[in-house]
């Protein structure tokens, strides 16, 4: 009897048509599509379970900032009809439960190898195959490799002097322990005030004896107004799911919300105030959808920023603390945060805010954190310091393309891709929501589905036409990188030190990584490329097949 496709071995490696790295929402759907097309596939996942970002980010208060009814798969209507969300914004445990439900419902686990961190991926020009190695020493070979490694999955831990001296436990929000962490009666430090910190600080403050927050840059947060989902609302939403999804796809962010094509500067101060109040009362990221120029014209942006600063001053009792919490940069330049009682937390007597904008955290001591010449004694430290975003997870893997070219070398000056899907010199390697695609500026799950469908169609096309190798041309890639930069320059989002431009990781090249031209324009471009027989790609029989 012939060996099944997935069990063939060559030179010690297990052979497949496709290896997918990562079993988050991207890897799971990729596997489902590959199976449907009859490809043999294996998913290699570093964690012990599915869920990706929602598997790792178990910090207190972790919750999605996209509303539950939209932060979900749409590839299966049965799935989206049967799944019941309980809250307007789903908390991490519920999203992880959803991920597990999907894995069970589509019987995905039998093709996922857990606890398998991929360390290397090397392309063999002659054989036209990728060989991947894991930390357990296993090797896998495949015609195609799909990196579903996530955009915010490589934790950024500051290298502070004395880290090893600290006597208590330390945590990073993106690698939170699986067992519950109880800060009751403890003195706790939180370093960072991004989305993760803004969600966890109110909860840690309720538990801790004392909480010290070290803030380098204040952030804008809009209230979530989270609430249980009204069953009536959910039923109605589900009855019109297709319409909502179609509407969402027409929005730059891929999220269906109320966006107004009106200039903030042409509105009167009263009209602006009314609009901002309405959106503040509704809550969430749609706050910035009130006027079309908020992310493009500084004077327009200032009006929204000042509105939020006024709200912070209203909420925080101590005027000095309120001023420290008021951001001065462009609102929406760094990712807008969505909070539940964040600013009010600073009215608690057990919470202290330390400004480290001028004098950075100097060192970690045996007993705490030293900043501004003062030692703050704590029992535990939480690093809410974010991620080496978009490129971190890819470059952690030793990826080598044609002629042994390391991806890290090619991306030395910043990531270079065609459509955020592929990179010249790395044939048959795909990225899901890679740098150069809208990804983090959109609703991630629909963006993931769009990429997965594009890749699945591409692989089917390759098989149908008996092609073996696909790789972007350097001309198409250069033109796309130029376009990504050009549109980034039009937006105020490229003007501050955010993780979008790699500014949070010392030494990282400063390049605006996601594509800011909007979801609809991007999808149109991807569809045109495919319709034109993969325009901008060299598609070939492959050297091995040609010989
Ligand atoms: P982040 O936005 O990058 O925030 C990291 C914070 O740590 C910043 O305040 C940063 O200050 C600070 N920091 C870093 N190194 C520091 C140092 N050496 N000393 C002092 N402060 C330091 O990371 P994040 O909060 O984990 O969020 C990352 C992204 O994940 C978000 O933007 C969002 O896209 C996503 N996320 C989403 C949700 C949600 O759906 N609700 C929740 C969490 C995260 P600077 O600003 O000065 O660099």
């Amino acid at each position: 009897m012939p060996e099944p496709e997935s069990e063939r071995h060559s030179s010690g490696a297990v052979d497949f048509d496709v290896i997918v790295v990562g079993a988050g929402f991207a890897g799971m759907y990729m596997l489902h599509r590959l199976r449907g097309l009859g490809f043999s596939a294996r998913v290699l996942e570093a964690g012990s379970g599915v869920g990706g970002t929602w598997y790792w980010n178990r910090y207190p208060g972790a919750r999605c900032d996209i509303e539950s009814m939209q932060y979900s798969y749409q590839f299966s209507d049965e799935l989206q009809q049967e799944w019941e969300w309980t809250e307007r914004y789903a908390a991490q445990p519920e999203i992880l439960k959803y991920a597990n439900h999907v894995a069970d419902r589509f019987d995905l686990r039998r093709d996922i190898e857990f606890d398998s961190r991929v360390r290397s991926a090397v392309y063999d020009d002659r054989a036209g195959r990728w060989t991947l190695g894991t930390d357990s020493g296993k090797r896998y070979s495949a015609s195609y490799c799909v990196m579903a490694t996530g955009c915010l999955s490589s934790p950024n831990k500051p290298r502070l002097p004395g880290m090893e001296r600290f006597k208590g436990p330390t945590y990073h929000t993106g690698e939170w322990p699986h067992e519950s962490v109880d800060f009751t009666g403890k003195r706790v430090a939180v370093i960072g005030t991004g989305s993760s910190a803004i969600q966890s600080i109110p909860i840690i403050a309720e538990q801790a004896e004392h909480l010290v927050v070290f803030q380098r840059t204040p952030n804008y947060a809009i209230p979530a107004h989270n609430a249980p989902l009204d069953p009536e609302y959910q039923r109605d939403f589900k009855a019109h799911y297709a319409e909502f999804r179609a509407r969402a796809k027409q929005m730059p962010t891929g999220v269906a919300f109320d966006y107004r094509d009106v200039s903030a500067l042409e509105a009167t101060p009263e009209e602006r105030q009314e609009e901002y109040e309405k959106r503040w009362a509704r809550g969430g990221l749609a706050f910035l959808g009130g006027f079309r120029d908020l992310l493009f014209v500084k004077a327009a942006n200032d009006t929204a920023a000042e509105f939020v600063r006024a709200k912070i001053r209203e909420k925080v009792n101590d005027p000095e603390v309120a001023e420290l919490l008021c951001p001065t940069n462009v609102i929406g330049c760094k990712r807008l945060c969505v909070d539940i009682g964040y600013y009010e937390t600073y009215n608690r007597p057990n919470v202290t805010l330390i400004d480290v904008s001028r004098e950075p955290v100097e060192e970690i001591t045996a007993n705490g954190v030293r900043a501004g010449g003062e030692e703050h004694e704590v029992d535990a430290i939480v690093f809410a310091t974010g991620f080496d975003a978009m490129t971190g997870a890819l470059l952690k893997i030793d990826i080598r393309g044609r002629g042994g070219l390391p991806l890290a070398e090619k991306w030395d000056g910043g990531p270079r891709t065609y459509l955020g899907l592929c990179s010249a010199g790395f044939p048959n390697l795909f990225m899901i929501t890679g740098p150069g695609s809208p990804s983090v500026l959109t609703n991630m799950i629909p963006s993931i589905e769009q990429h997965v469908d594009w890749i699945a169609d591409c692989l089917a096309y390759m098989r149908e036409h008996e092609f073996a190798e696909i790789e972007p041309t350097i001309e198409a890639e250069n033109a796309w990188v130029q376009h990504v930069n050009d549109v980034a320059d039009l937006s105020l989002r490229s003007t501050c030190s955010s993780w979008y431009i790699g500014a949070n990781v010392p030494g990282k090249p400063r390049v605006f990584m996601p594509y800011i031209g909007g979801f609809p324009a991007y999808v149109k471009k991807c569809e045109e490329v495919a319709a034109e027989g993969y325009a901008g790609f060299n598609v070939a029989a492959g050297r091995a097949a040609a010989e």
Side-chain angles (χ1 to χ4, degrees):
M1 205 171 84
E3 277 183 294
E5 180 78 1
S6 59
E7 294 303 321
R8 281 187 285 117
H9 289 62
S10 67
S11 59
V14 192
D15 293 346
F16 295 92
D17 293 328
V18 189
I19 294 284
V20 180
V21 184
F25 284 117
M28 286 202 293
Y29 180 45
M30 190 76 244
L31 173 61
H32 178 67
R33 283 300 320 268
L34 291 169
R35 271 195 196 156
L37 289 166
F39 288 108
S40 66
R42 184 61 55 98
V43 180
L44 304 176
E45 164 58 50
S48 305
V50 298
T53 197
W54 301 105
Y55 172 87
W56 298 102
N57 284 268
R58 296 164 186 249
Y59 60 83
R63 192 180 284 283
C64 191
D65 58 8
I66 304 281
E67 295 187 24
S68 311
M69 295 308 293
Q70 301 202 53
Y71 190 79
S72 56
Y73 286 124
Q74 57 195 291
F75 70 83
S76 158
D77 193 45
E78 294 81 17
L79 172 66
Q80 69 178 1
Q81 291 296 334
E82 78 198 5
W83 183 262
E84 297 281 322
W85 295 105
T86 65
E87 291 179 276
R88 179 178 175 192
Y89 295 98
Q92 175 271 336
E94 187 171 21
I95 303 174
L96 188 59
K97 199 168 147 203
Y98 172 71
N100 277 288
H101 169 76
V102 172
D104 293 337
R105 194 188 195 287
F106 297 97
D107 187 22
L108 299 177
R109 287 178 216 280
R110 66 186 157 87
D111 285 322
I112 304 176
E113 282 191 37
F114 294 106
D115 304 306
S116 296
R117 184 173 286 283
V118 173
R119 295 288 180 201
S120 62
V122 178
Y123 189 65
D124 178 339
D125 284 77
R126 279 193 62 78
R129 292 185 76 78
W130 283 93
T131 300
L132 286 86
T134 67
D135 52 3
S136 59
K138 280 194 175 173
R139 294 174 70 227
Y140 302 80
S141 126
S143 306
Y144 299 97
C145 175
V146 180
M147 293 295 178
T149 42
C151 296
L152 294 158
S153 46
S154 178
N156 173 39
K157 292 180 197 154
R159 287 195 204 105
L160 295 167
M163 296 274 271
E164 66 297 337
R165 282 202 303 256
F166 184 61
K167 288 193 295 207
T170 63
Y171 306 93
H172 187 283
T173 47
E175 284 180 336
W176 203 260
H178 286 209
E179 58 279 7
S180 81
V181 178
D182 186 3
F183 292 117
T184 306
K186 300 262 166 48
R187 297 164 303 167
V188 183
V190 172
I191 299 181
T193 48
S195 296
S196 304
I198 281 176
Q199 290 186 327
S200 55
I201 282 168
I203 300 187
I204 297 175
E206 278 171 17
Q207 288 177 1
E209 179 193 306
H210 196 89
L211 171 64
V212 194
V213 177
F214 294 86
Q215 172 187 271
R216 191 163 67 184
T217 314
N219 247 310
Y220 296 93
I222 308 298
H225 299 312
N226 188 41
L229 261 190
D230 174 12
E232 185 89 16
Y233 169 82
Q234 185 152 195
R235 253 196 313 279
D236 184 55
F237 207 103
K238 285 183 176 178
H240 302 97
Y241 235 141
E243 286 160 49
F244 274 107
R245 299 294 199 182
R247 191 152 71 82
K249 283 182 181 160
Q250 299 312 313
M251 310 297 288
T253 54
V255 185
F257 62 55
D258 175 23
Y259 170 82
R260 291 184 346 131
D261 193 8
V262 175
S263 158
L265 295 180
E266 285 168 16
T268 64
E270 294 73 28
E271 284 165 349
R272 282 197 298 261
Q273 187 72 14
E274 192 189 335
E275 187 62 26
Y276 293 143
E277 286 288 3
K278 201 173 80 191
R279 285 173 186 263
W280 184 266
R282 184 165 193 283
L285 297 175
F287 180 79
L288 285 177
F291 297 100
R292 66 163 180 265
D293 42 4
L294 293 182
L295 288 171
F296 297 96
V297 181
K298 177 71 168 55
N301 190 279
D302 286 344
T303 65
E306 193 44 45
F307 175 88
V308 177
R309 284 192 287 267
K311 291 290 183 194
I312 297 171
R313 291 180 188 118
E314 267 174 34
K315 282 174 184 246
V316 180
N317 298 341
D318 182 329
E320 275 180 37
V321 176
E323 274 329 293
L324 280 181
L325 288 167
C326 281
T328 52
N329 56 3
V330 162
I331 182 169
C333 190
K334 293 192 176 196
R335 168 94 174 195
L336 197 59
C337 302
V338 177
D339 80 293
I340 301 179
Y342 174 65
Y343 294 116
E344 294 84 343
T345 298
Y346 293 94
N347 296 332
R348 296 177 66 103
N350 69 331
V351 177
T352 308
L353 180 65
I354 305 290
D355 172 24
V356 292
S357 60
R358 276 177 230 98
E359 295 180 80
V361 173
E362 290 151 36
E363 62 168 341
I364 304 297
T365 65
N367 298 314
V369 180
R370 184 185 300 282
E374 194 185 333
E375 186 181 15
H376 300 267
E377 290 198 1
V378 291
D379 304 305
I381 303 175
V382 174
F383 289 97
T385 45
F387 302 89
D388 181 355
M390 305 210 70
T391 55
L394 289 164
L395 296 179
K396 256 190 194 168
I397 302 170
D398 182 11
I399 301 176
R400 289 170 190 256
R402 220 180 261 296
L405 174 70
L407 187 66
E409 194 178 306
K410 179 174 172 190
W411 286 8
D412 200 22
R416 302 191 71 79
T417 71
Y418 183 37
L419 303 173
L421 279 161
C422 297
S423 192
F426 297 81
N428 295 3
L429 179 81
F430 297 90
M431 290 161 263
I432 299 177
T433 64
S437 76
S439 59
V440 291
L441 299 177
T442 62
N443 186 359
M444 282 303 278
I445 298 187
S447 273
I448 283 169
E449 286 182 313
Q450 186 261 338
H451 264 192
V452 167
D453 287 336
W454 191 95
I455 295 167
D457 290 350
C458 175
L459 297 188
Y461 171 92
M462 295 288 290
R463 183 175 59 187
E464 190 190 330
H465 293 83
E466 298 185 356
F467 291 132
E469 220 173 48
I470 181 163
E471 176 188 352
T473 66
I474 196 71
E475 293 78 18
E477 179 173 293
N478 288 344
W480 183 252
V481 170
Q482 188 60 50
H483 175 59
V484 170
N485 290 333
D486 290 346
V487 286
D489 289 344
L490 299 175
S491 166
L492 294 172
R493 276 193 154 132
S494 58
T495 59
C496 66
S497 304
S498 68
W499 58 257
Y500 294 134
I501 61 162
N504 62 329
V505 177
K508 189 165 173 170
R510 303 245 172 153
V511 174
F512 194 85
M513 293 180 285
Y515 176 60
I516 206 169
F519 189 69
Y522 176 77
V523 172
K524 186 164 171 277
K525 169 77 179 170
C526 289
E527 286 173 353
E528 283 168 4
V529 165
E532 288 163 20
Y534 296 90
F537 286 92
N538 280 324
V539 184
R543 200 176 299 176
E547 278 171 3

